[in-house]
Amino acid sequence: MLKIMFAVADNDGDGALSFEEVTAIHKRIFDRVDANKDGKVTPEEVQGFMRD
């Protein structure tokens, strides 16, 4: 599973994650968790995300 997640985050396919690639994947996750799109993540939003 970790290899798959790494491969998805490694956008340029160089076998390593750059700061930009790590930041981009974190932003994608944050945006998915931030259900009301207010730029903040609450414990309730995290719980909702984990349930889905």
Side-chain angles (χ1 to χ4, degrees):
M1 183 67 156
L2 184 58
K3 286 182 181 184
I4 292 170
M5 290 172 52
F6 190 91
V8 169
D10 183 17
N11 289 329
D12 61 10
D14 69 353
L17 295 179
S18 68
F19 179 79
E20 290 79 15
E21 289 168 325
V22 171
T23 302
I25 196 79
H26 282 198
K27 175 147 178 42
R28 287 183 7 213
I29 294 167
F30 183 92
D31 290 347
R32 298 269 323 261
V33 177
D34 183 16
N36 66 358
K37 306 301 180 210
D38 67 351
K40 300 175 185 177
V41 172
T42 64
E44 293 79 17
E45 288 172 316
V46 173
Q47 288 174 343
F49 177 78
M50 297 301 264
R51 271 188 248 131
D52 291 342

